[in-house]
Amino acid sequence: MKNIVQKRCELLVENRNLIQEGFMLENSLLKAVAAAAFAEKEKTVDVDYLKECRSLLRDKQGALSSFRGNNELIVSTKMALGSDPEKYIDEVIEVYKKFQKGKCFGSTFRVLAAMSICDAGKFSEADAIIEKTNNLLEGMRKKHPFIATDEDTSFAVLLAMTEKSVEEILTELEEAFGYIKKSFSFHDNAAYSLTQVLTIFDGSYEDKRDKVLEIYNAFKAAGLKYGKEYELASLGTLININLSTGELVSEVAEAAKFFDGKKGFGMLDMNKQTKLMLGAMVVSGAYSEKSTVTDASVTSGAISMIIAEQTAMLVAIMIASSSAAASSSSN
């Protein structure tokens, strides 16, 4: 494992333990993803400051708000990482309200989408991005009424921030999805999310689909089962990393193995597939600024990191929501 990845893993574990002290009731994966966000910026968590950010969030959003619940730690983390937490949350709330126009119910995923716009420094372009996002979602739902859901807002907004037109994006999505889903039978939802992540990047869809399947099969050949549920989308964040496929798989595998036996990363906290996803997030973040791809202009390093981070956050929130729903139905 390269030194930069080793240090990020060590800091992630340290940050997770610090977050545990002040946020004991939060979902284990959410705590790990929040810890990873701090590690991404090479920062150690200041738990008291993170709590202050949570208090500020609670002052501005009531208990039933979509900013609370499973989103609360993630939003508080992004506030704490910014230079001006109050300005950040005010802008995210304003963008979220724009997303909510004409809608009756709140949305966890539109909160994440609003954060993505602000994280990319595109607050002033929010209206145009939201319009494009809504057009993309409409097109997705027409093609796949049983697959495209509110969850897709988080990826659709990242697609909307590319220079591709709505028509170009929808065309590429269809062509790539038709091919990729063949490799993930009975997992159409996850395959569609993976296709969305791939489409965010520039380059031919043939090259991107071939690369991601090459990486997936390399994990398989190494005796590692990369998750084919929510985790699958995170595989797309690895396609532009300037390492051989063998080196890349080794880095992710070693990062995932590093978490074994660490407090908060046990069998009751997360499975092997989730740890591989965390390893992919760390590796993607560590190498994204250096990423290059042959014959393809790559999305900027900043956007690449947002893609990796937001993918992990989205996955964590979906898993946490599923766990909560399962627990509730069993009681």
Side-chain angles (χ1 to χ4, degrees):
M1 183 163 51
K2 297 287 194 304
N3 190 45
I4 185 173
V5 177
Q6 172 87 23
K7 287 184 175 179
R8 292 277 175 90
C9 287
E10 290 172 353
L11 186 54
L12 191 160
V13 171
E14 179 186 351
N15 282 337
R16 182 265 162 206
N17 291 335
L18 290 169
I19 291 173
Q20 169 67 12
E21 294 176 9
F23 297 81
M24 292 182 65
L25 298 180
E26 291 285 355
N27 174 273
S28 293
L29 182 54
L30 287 174
K31 283 183 279 197
V33 171
F38 279 99
E40 175 76 31
K41 303 294 184 184
E42 299 184 342
K43 290 186 175 182
T44 301
V45 176
D46 180 337
V47 179
D48 290 335
Y49 185 58
L50 185 57
K51 284 183 175 180
E52 288 176 19
C53 290
R54 181 179 63 180
S55 295
L56 178 59
L57 171 62
R58 288 178 173 180
D59 286 343
K60 292 178 178 289
Q61 295 289 304
L64 300 179
S65 166
S66 295
F67 282 79
R68 302 285 296 277
N70 286 328
N71 268 344
E72 187 172 82
L73 177 57
I74 297 299
V75 177
S76 300
T77 294
K78 300 300 290 185
M79 291 169 67
L81 285 169
S83 58
D84 187 339
E86 185 160 18
K87 180 183 178 184
Y88 176 80
I89 190 57
D90 285 344
E91 289 185 347
V92 172
I93 290 170
E94 187 173 338
V95 174
Y96 176 73
K97 286 179 178 177
K98 293 176 185 288
F99 265 116
Q100 285 298 106
K101 284 182 180 177
K103 298 177 174 67
C104 299
F105 301 103
S107 165
T108 292
F109 306 106
R110 286 194 283 275
V111 172
L112 290 181
M115 288 167 58
S116 292
I117 291 173
C118 295
D119 291 346
K122 294 181 179 290
F123 172 72
S124 62
E125 303 170 44
D127 288 328
I129 293 170
I130 290 169
E131 181 181 0
K132 188 175 177 182
T133 300
N134 289 334
N135 289 336
L136 285 169
L137 288 169
E138 183 180 353
M140 291 178 192
R141 286 169 183 146
K142 281 182 180 178
K143 292 285 186 180
H144 304 286
F146 300 109
I147 296 178
T149 67
D150 189 41
E151 294 174 3
D152 295 295
T153 308
S154 302
F155 290 139
V157 76
L158 296 175
L159 286 162
M161 287 191 282
T162 68
E163 295 183 2
K164 300 175 187 179
S165 69
V166 170
E167 292 73 20
E168 288 171 331
I169 292 168
L170 292 174
T171 298
E172 181 176 337
L173 276 175
E174 284 309 296
E175 292 175 345
F177 178 58
Y179 186 91
I180 286 174
K181 69 178 181 179
K182 296 175 185 176
S183 298
F184 303 102
S185 300
F186 308 111
H187 298 279
D188 283 5
N189 233 323
Y192 196 54
S193 294
L194 172 59
T195 305
Q196 290 170 342
V197 173
L198 295 178
T199 305
I200 294 166
F201 294 98
D202 289 330
S204 75
Y205 83 86
E206 293 94 345
D207 289 342
K208 290 183 288 185
R209 79 183 186 197
D210 290 347
K211 182 64 176 179
V212 81
L213 291 176
E214 178 186 317
I215 295 170
Y216 177 79
N217 289 326
F219 275 109
K220 199 173 180 180
L224 301 165
K225 293 183 178 180
Y226 207 93
K228 291 194 286 187
E229 297 296 340
Y230 294 127
E231 307 93 348
L232 188 63
S234 63
L235 205 60
T237 67
L238 301 174
I239 63 168
N240 285 331
I241 292 176
N242 194 21
L243 292 174
S244 70
T245 301
E247 288 176 313
L248 178 59
V249 169
S250 178
E251 284 288 285
V252 174
E254 287 182 35
K257 188 175 181 180
F258 177 88
F259 300 131
D260 285 344
K262 302 293 191 300
K263 189 175 180 180
F265 296 87
M267 291 177 59
L268 296 178
D269 299 294
M270 60 188 73
N271 59 28
K272 291 181 179 179
Q273 287 74 29
T274 303
K275 279 185 268 193
L276 274 176
M277 182 202 75
L278 275 179
M281 179 187 179
V282 172
V283 171
S284 179
Y287 285 97
S288 62
E289 290 184 338
K290 304 174 184 177
S291 295
T292 55
V293 126
T294 306
D295 298 326
S297 52
V298 181
T299 310
S300 72
I303 295 294
S304 295
M305 285 188 279
I306 290 170
I307 294 168
E309 193 173 86
Q310 293 293 344
T311 300
M313 288 181 174
L314 174 62
V315 170
I317 286 171
M318 287 193 288
I319 290 175
S321 298
S322 297
S323 299
S327 176
S328 176
S329 63
S330 65
N331 291 331

